Amino acid sequence: MKRDMDLARRILLATAQQQHGDDLMGLPDVDGEDFALHVIWLQEAGLVKALVSETIGPTHAYVQRLTWAGCDFVDAIQDDTLWAKAKAKVMKPAASFTFDVLKDWLKAEIAQGLPTLR
Protein backbone atom coordinates (compact mmCIF):
# COMPACT_ATOMS: atom_id res chain seq x y z
CA MET A 1 0.00 0.00 0.00
CA LYS A 2 1.16 3.50 -0.79
CA ARG A 3 0.93 6.42 1.58
CA ASP A 4 -2.14 8.57 0.88
CA MET A 5 -1.45 12.09 2.12
CA ASP A 6 -5.09 13.11 1.68
CA LEU A 7 -6.13 10.28 3.99
CA ALA A 8 -3.39 11.24 6.47
CA ARG A 9 -4.70 14.82 6.39
CA ARG A 10 -8.27 13.64 6.99
CA ILE A 11 -7.16 11.59 9.98
CA LEU A 12 -5.21 14.49 11.45
CA LEU A 13 -8.02 17.02 10.94
CA ALA A 14 -10.58 14.60 12.42
CA THR A 15 -8.32 13.99 15.41
CA ALA A 16 -8.00 17.73 15.97
CA GLN A 17 -11.81 17.92 16.21
CA GLN A 18 -12.06 15.13 18.80
CA GLN A 19 -12.89 15.94 22.39
CA HIS A 20 -10.09 15.26 24.88
CA GLY A 21 -10.30 11.62 25.91
CA ASP A 22 -12.16 10.45 22.78
CA ASP A 23 -10.35 8.09 20.42
CA LEU A 24 -10.66 8.30 16.65
CA MET A 25 -11.44 4.73 15.61
CA GLY A 26 -12.00 5.18 11.90
CA LEU A 27 -13.42 7.39 9.21
CA PRO A 28 -16.55 6.92 7.14
CA ASP A 29 -15.84 5.38 3.73
CA VAL A 30 -12.27 4.37 4.71
CA ASP A 31 -11.30 0.71 4.94
CA GLY A 32 -10.28 -0.23 8.49
CA GLU A 33 -6.89 -1.62 7.49
CA ASP A 34 -6.09 1.44 5.34
CA PHE A 35 -7.02 3.64 8.31
CA ALA A 36 -4.88 1.55 10.68
CA LEU A 37 -1.82 1.62 8.42
CA HIS A 38 -2.01 5.38 8.03
CA VAL A 39 -2.42 5.81 11.79
CA ILE A 40 0.70 3.69 12.28
CA TRP A 41 2.60 5.89 9.82
CA LEU A 42 1.34 9.07 11.52
CA GLN A 43 2.49 7.69 14.86
CA GLU A 44 5.90 6.80 13.41
CA ALA A 45 6.14 10.38 12.08
CA GLY A 46 5.51 11.65 15.60
CA LEU A 47 2.22 13.38 14.76
CA VAL A 48 -0.19 11.27 16.85
CA LYS A 49 -0.33 9.05 19.90
CA ALA A 50 -2.24 5.88 19.04
CA LEU A 51 -3.09 2.40 20.23
CA VAL A 52 -2.28 -0.27 17.67
CA SER A 53 -3.17 -3.95 17.70
CA GLU A 54 -1.23 -6.02 15.18
CA THR A 55 -2.27 -9.47 16.34
CA ILE A 56 -3.30 -12.28 14.03
CA GLY A 57 -6.00 -10.95 11.75
CA PRO A 58 -6.63 -7.37 10.64
CA THR A 59 -4.65 -4.56 12.21
CA HIS A 60 -6.64 -2.11 14.31
CA ALA A 61 -5.53 1.38 15.34
CA TYR A 62 -7.11 4.11 17.41
CA VAL A 63 -5.84 7.68 17.50
CA GLN A 64 -5.78 9.02 21.04
CA ARG A 65 -4.52 12.53 20.38
CA LEU A 66 -2.23 14.78 18.40
CA THR A 67 1.31 15.37 19.60
CA TRP A 68 2.78 18.88 19.79
CA ALA A 69 4.29 18.34 16.32
CA GLY A 70 0.92 17.01 15.16
CA CYS A 71 -0.81 20.19 16.35
CA ASP A 72 1.74 22.27 14.42
CA PHE A 73 1.25 20.16 11.30
CA VAL A 74 -2.55 20.41 11.54
CA ASP A 75 -2.22 24.19 11.80
CA ALA A 76 -0.20 24.10 8.56
CA ILE A 77 -2.60 21.84 6.60
CA GLN A 78 -5.99 23.23 7.67
CA ASP A 79 -6.26 25.70 4.81
CA ASP A 80 -7.68 23.94 1.73
CA THR A 81 -5.99 26.40 -0.65
CA LEU A 82 -2.56 25.85 0.88
CA TRP A 83 -3.13 22.08 0.86
CA ALA A 84 -4.07 22.15 -2.83
CA LYS A 85 -0.94 24.21 -3.55
CA ALA A 86 1.20 21.72 -1.59
CA LYS A 87 -0.29 18.84 -3.57
CA ALA A 88 0.41 20.60 -6.86
CA LYS A 89 3.93 21.78 -6.03
CA VAL A 90 5.32 19.20 -3.59
CA MET A 91 3.27 16.02 -3.85
CA LYS A 92 2.82 15.73 -7.59
CA PRO A 93 1.99 12.10 -8.44
CA ALA A 94 5.14 11.75 -10.55
CA ALA A 95 7.42 13.53 -8.10
CA SER A 96 9.05 11.90 -5.14
CA PHE A 97 9.06 13.78 -1.87
CA THR A 98 9.73 13.14 1.75
CA PHE A 99 7.53 14.12 4.64
CA ASP A 100 10.25 16.51 5.86
CA VAL A 101 10.27 18.28 2.48
CA LEU A 102 6.50 18.74 2.75
CA LYS A 103 6.80 20.11 6.31
CA ASP A 104 9.59 22.50 5.31
CA TRP A 105 7.64 23.72 2.28
CA LEU A 106 4.51 24.34 4.38
CA LYS A 107 6.55 26.25 6.97
CA ALA A 108 8.13 28.39 4.26
CA GLU A 109 4.75 29.15 2.65
CA ILE A 110 3.25 30.14 5.99
CA ALA A 111 6.28 32.27 6.91
CA GLN A 112 6.16 33.98 3.52
CA GLY A 113 2.56 35.02 4.20
CA LEU A 114 3.36 36.53 7.61
CA PRO A 115 3.92 40.25 7.94
CA THR A 116 7.53 41.08 8.65
CA LEU A 117 8.35 42.24 12.15
CA ARG A 118 10.57 45.27 12.39
Side-chain angles (χ1 to χ4, degrees):
M1 157 158 289
K2 292 181 91 172
R3 178 175 57 181
D4 180 340
M5 291 304 291
D6 284 317
L7 176 53
R9 179 180 185 245
R10 286 181 59 199
I11 293 168
L12 291 168
L13 292 175
T15 301
Q17 297 300 314
Q18 294 288 110
Q19 294 294 321
H20 179 70
D22 290 348
D23 292 343
L24 182 66
M25 297 194 232
L27 292 173
D29 76 322
V30 175
D31 175 76
E33 289 199 41
D34 291 345
F35 175 83
L37 183 56
H38 281 76
V39 169
I40 292 167
W41 286 333
L42 290 169
Q43 181 168 255
E44 290 171 347
L47 300 179
V48 300
K49 293 290 183 185
L51 294 174
V52 177
S53 171
E54 295 182 275
T55 58
I56 296 174
T59 300
H60 297 284
Y62 309 97
V63 183
Q64 297 174 299
R65 64 176 179 82
L66 296 172
T67 62
W68 187 273
C71 290
D72 287 346
F73 193 70
V74 164
D75 287 344
I77 63 170
Q78 280 185 5
D79 183 85
D80 291 336
T81 303
L82 183 59
W83 183 251
K85 190 174 177 183
K87 286 174 59 175
K89 301 215 177 243
V90 181
M91 299 181 287
K92 292 178 192 171
S96 63
F97 72 95
T98 67
F99 182 66
D100 288 332
V101 168
L102 175 61
K103 286 191 310 186
D104 291 344
W105 184 87
L106 287 164
K107 284 183 204 174
E109 283 295 305
I110 291 168
Q112 194 172 26
L114 294 175
T116 56
L117 300 174
R118 296 181 198 257

